[in-house]
């Protein structure tokens, strides 16, 4: 048979030449095939399938009937007294003298044969899946999945929320620091806002703790949490709770498969991000790009089907629902509050007072009355702490010796807020003024971050360190100068250096003393005369002789008019 030619094409060529009168021997010589091949081609236009090879004999073959009997007996045995693979393996060795058969071979045969024996005995039908059809805007599915991301260089585990419309396959994803009730609510709210409405039919759920307080027996009835009942009533959600366990996962297979597909296609390799907000921005772009994808053999894309489904969704309510949860902790003596076993800092002036905390899925906001006093990114681990150096500056002014070993300083270094420039300037200031005065000067510099950009303050510290200006005022002056020379934030035009010489002059750091002397006006006053003060010298005669003048007469002393005491 010529290379690249299929057996069907060979048979067609043999039959064509045979019809034209070519002999069988000539066909054999022309196509280099045997007599049997020519006979098969002339008898049938379709090649017969190749006969399968006989199954390879296994050392387990003599013991397979014994294993089948054990599995058949387990059908009537108590659930907790049935054979495990280890027990079957040991019985074959001890009771039936099995030798030279590995445990893995026995385990593979049991895994294959066990469900077959159950079906053969009439104890259960084979697992069957029934394809479903969905109306536009009628149904959706919700689930959580775990994803790993590299957040600021550290590998952490986050929770991926997904809401998928059953008709079009349009899915909305969101990553949160936790998988609690706050993330459950915020994921719904974000998905409804992106979709532009709410499904008018059922939404399928697992038995999540965020929604289900308890499962009532083997029925579909559930005891829901109060906040979930209020949330679904606000948006008009009709929930459908799946069966607990792996069987329930098959009842919402669309969202289960969607999470796996999204994780494999967008989180491989592991994304490196600076914040969860940045990651969610990327996810929104990925969701939008996925609308051009076709699911399976569907004739239209996700975006085209969603355009048909969007008008069928129920409109969103006018009022918003507060997805966060309120707490009222008291600030301890370390100027920290405890929320869900994690500690967060607040300004030291609130020590001993009770504050209000609004906890979201990825952040928390602290209020004193209605005034916001702190905001933190939510911790991903339990029993951790997130401290802000700015909250402790007033206290550190009174206790500068507590700064070098403070936990808040270590966290500021790890977050990149306390840079090596801060370290170098602090060391130089301590060497010049002493540890206490140098640390206080550093704290005064750190206070500049409240009303100046971080980059400007760091650049001002570098400039002050270069000329040896180790005071807070000098650093502030340089930071303000750099801020003024930076890109303008208003519409006011600014003259820019156009030549290399101008850029070099603009980038040069001058001494503060020289700058002050240059800016002072020229002094035109005469030099002072101090000769009139010579009479105050101890030796007046020497001073007069040096001046070449006669001494002035000493005034006579008048008699005292004081009356004698009586």
């Amino acid at each position: 048979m010529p290379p690249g030619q299929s057996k069907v094409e060979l048979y067609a060529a043999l039959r064509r030449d045979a019809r034209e009168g070519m002999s069988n021997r000539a066909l054999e010589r022309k196509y280099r095939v045997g007599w049997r091949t020519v006979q098969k081609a002339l008898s049938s236009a379709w090649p017969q399938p190749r006969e399968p090879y006989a199954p390879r004999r296994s050392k387990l073959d003599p013991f397979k009937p014994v294993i089948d009997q054990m599995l058949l007996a387990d059908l009537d045995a108590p659930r907790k007294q049935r054979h495990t693979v280890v027990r079957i393996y040991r019985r074959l060795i001890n009771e039936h003298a099995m030798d030279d058969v590995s445990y893995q071979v026995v385990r593979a045969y049991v895994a294959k044969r066990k469900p077959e024996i159950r079906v053969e005995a009439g104890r259960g039908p084979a697992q069957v899946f029934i394809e479903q059809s969905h109306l536009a805007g009628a149904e959706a599915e919700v689930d959580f999945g775990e994803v790993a991301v590299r957040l600021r260089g550290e590998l952490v585990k986050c929770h991926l929320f997904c809401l998928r419309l059953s008709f079009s396959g349009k899915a909305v994803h969101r990553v949160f620091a936790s998988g609690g009730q706050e993330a459950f609510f915020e994921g719904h709210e974000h998905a409804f806002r992106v979709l532009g409405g709410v499904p008018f039919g059922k939404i399928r759920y697992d038995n999540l703790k965020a929604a289900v307080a308890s499962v009532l027996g083997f029925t579909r009835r559930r005891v829901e949490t109060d906040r979930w009942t209020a949330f679904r009533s606000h948006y008009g959600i009709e929930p459908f709770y799946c069966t607990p366990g792996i069987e329930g996962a098959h009842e919402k297979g669309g969202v289960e498969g969607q999470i796996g597909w999204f994780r494999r296609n967008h989180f491989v390799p592991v994304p490196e991000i600076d914040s969860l907000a940045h990651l969610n921005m990327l996810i929104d772009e990925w969701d939008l790009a996925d609308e051009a994808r076709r699911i399976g053999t569907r004739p239209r894309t996700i975006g085209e089907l969603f355009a048909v489904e969007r008008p069928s969704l129920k409109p969103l309510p006018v009022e918003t629902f507060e997805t966060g949860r309120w707490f009222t902790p008291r600030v301890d003596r370390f100027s920290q509050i405890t929320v869900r076993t994690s500690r967060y800092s607040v300004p030291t002036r609130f020590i001993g007072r009770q504050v209000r905390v609004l906890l979201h899925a990825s952040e928390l906001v602290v209020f004193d009355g209605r005034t916001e006093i702190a905001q933190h990114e939510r911790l991903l681990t339990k029993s951790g702490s997130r401290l802000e150096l700015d909250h402790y500056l007033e206290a550190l002014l009174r206790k500068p010796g507590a700064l070098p070993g403070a936990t808040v300083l270590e966290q500021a270094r790890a977050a990149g807020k306390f840079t090596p420039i801060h370290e170098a300037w602090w060391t130089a200031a301590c060497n010049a003024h002493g540890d206490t005065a140098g640390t206080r000067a550093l704290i005064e510099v750190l206070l500049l971050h409240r009303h100046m950009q971080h980059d400007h303050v760091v650049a001002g510290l570098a400039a002050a360190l270069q000329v040896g200006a180790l005071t807070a005022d000098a650093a502030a002056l340089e930071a303000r100068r750099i801020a003024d020379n930076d890109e303008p934030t208003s519409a006011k035009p600014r003259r820019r250096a156009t030549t290399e010489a101008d850029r070099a002059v603009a980038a040069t750091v001058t001494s503060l003393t020289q700058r002050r002397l240059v800016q002072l006006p020229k002094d035109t006053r005469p030099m002072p005369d101090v000769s009139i003060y010579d009479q105050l010298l101890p030796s007046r005669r020497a001073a007069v002789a040096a001046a070449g003048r006669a001494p002035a007469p000493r005034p006579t002393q008048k008699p005292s008019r004081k009356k004698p005491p009586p």
Side-chain angles (χ1 to χ4, degrees), residues 126-145:
Q127 193 174 21
V128 181
F129 294 92
I130 308 299
E131 187 175 354
Q132 301 290 310
S133 297
H134 307 280
L135 298 176
E139 295 186 22
E141 300 170 352
V142 171
D143 199 8
F144 273 103

Side-chain angles (χ1 to χ4, degrees), residues 86-242:
V86 175
R87 180 56 180 160
I88 293 174
Y89 183 71
R90 291 177 179 174
R91 285 193 62 186
L92 292 175
I93 294 176
N94 299 332
E95 301 177 13
H96 300 276
M98 186 183 70
D99 189 16
D100 200 18
V101 179
S102 66
Y103 170 80
Q104 286 77 9
V105 174
V106 177
R107 182 181 62 185
Y109 179 76
V110 172
K112 176 185 176 183
R113 192 70 180 125
K114 191 173 183 178
E116 295 176 353
I117 288 179
R118 186 174 183 85
V119 173
E120 292 171 1
R123 299 297 182 91
Q127 193 174 21
V128 181
F129 294 92
I130 308 299
E131 187 175 354
Q132 301 290 310
S133 297
H134 307 280
L135 298 176
E139 295 186 22
E141 300 170 352
V142 171
D143 199 8
F144 273 103
E146 291 185 350
V147 293
V149 298
R150 199 170 297 278
L151 180 61
R152 292 185 287 270
E154 181 181 359
L155 187 66
V156 297
K157 186 179 294 184
C158 299
H159 299 266
L160 176 65
F161 173 89
C162 178
L163 188 147
R164 180 181 183 272
L165 295 177
S166 300
F167 173 78
S168 63
K170 170 66 176 177
V172 182
H173 304 81
R174 200 74 171 168
V175 167
F176 298 102
S178 70
Q181 194 176 64
E182 299 82 17
F184 188 58
F185 290 171
E186 290 181 23
H188 278 83
E189 187 180 47
H190 173 72
F192 294 154
R193 186 169 60 253
V194 171
L195 298 175
V198 183
F200 64 84
K202 296 179 180 180
I203 301 181
R204 297 176 181 266
Y205 298 96
D206 278 333
N207 300 279
L208 303 171
K209 292 183 178 179
V212 177
S214 62
V215 179
L216 300 179
F218 298 97
T219 65
R220 298 282 184 180
R221 297 179 58 192
R222 303 289 187 269
V223 177
E224 298 178 339
T225 60
D226 294 339
R227 297 192 72 230
W228 166 242
T229 302
F231 181 84
R232 72 176 183 83
S233 175
H234 178 77
Y235 283 99
I237 298 173
E238 184 179 352
F240 177 88
Y241 300 107
C242 300

Side-chain angles (χ1 to χ4, degrees), residues 345-418:
S345 67
V346 297
T348 54
R349 64 181 181 274
F350 297 100
I351 291 178
R353 295 172 58 176
Q354 195 173 30
V355 294
R356 300 167 65 238
V357 178
L358 181 59
L359 180 66
H360 292 286
S362 299
E363 64 178 5
L364 61 87
V365 186
V366 187
F367 294 90
D368 177 41
R370 296 185 178 181
T371 305
E372 180 180 334
I373 60 175
Q375 186 174 357
H376 292 278
E377 184 179 348
R378 185 168 178 175
L379 288 168
L380 298 175
T381 57
K382 294 183 178 180
S383 302
S385 63
R386 189 178 296 281
L387 310 179
E388 190 70 32
L389 182 59
D390 182 74
H391 295 163
Y392 294 90
L393 295 181
E394 285 81 3
L396 290 172
L397 281 175
R398 300 190 301 271
K399 296 181 177 181
L403 180 61
T407 305
V408 63
L409 180 60
E410 294 300 324
Q411 292 193 10
R413 286 170 176 158
K417 298 179 180 179
F418 196 84

Side-chain angles (χ1 to χ4, degrees), residues 392-461:
Y392 294 90
L393 295 181
E394 285 81 3
L396 290 172
L397 281 175
R398 300 190 301 271
K399 296 181 177 181
L403 180 61
T407 305
V408 63
L409 180 60
E410 294 300 324
Q411 292 193 10
R413 286 170 176 158
K417 298 179 180 179
F418 196 84
T419 63
I421 301 297
H422 290 87
E423 297 275 5
W425 194 90
W426 185 16
T427 302
C430 290
N431 293 335
H433 309 297
D435 292 343
T436 302
T439 303
R440 281 200 177 98
L442 173 70
I443 296 171
E444 293 176 358
V445 171
L446 294 176
L447 289 170
L448 296 174
H449 289 284
R450 294 183 177 179
H451 51 84
M452 297 187 68
Q453 295 184 16
H454 181 269
D455 296 339
H456 294 162
V457 177
V458 174
L461 281 175

Side-chain angles (χ1 to χ4, degrees), residues 278-344:
H278 176 230
L279 177 60
N280 283 322
M281 291 176 59
L282 296 177
I283 289 176
D284 292 340
E285 297 176 0
W286 296 339
D287 286 342
L288 189 60
D290 287 343
E291 292 187 359
R293 178 172 61 94
R294 296 178 187 268
I295 299 177
T297 58
R298 293 187 179 187
R300 298 182 181 274
T301 63
I302 295 176
E304 292 172 348
L305 293 175
F306 178 63
V308 176
E309 187 175 22
R310 184 192 290 269
S312 302
L313 300 175
K314 293 189 301 184
L316 294 173
V318 178
E319 299 180 355
T320 59
F321 188 93
E322 180 54 67
T323 59
R325 191 161 189 174
W326 288 99
F327 296 88
T328 56
R330 188 173 295 276
V331 184
D332 61 13
R333 59 181 180 177
F334 295 99
S335 192
Q336 299 174 17
I337 55 175
T338 302
V339 180
R340 295 276 180 88
T341 72
S342 298
R343 302 186 306 278
Y344 303 89

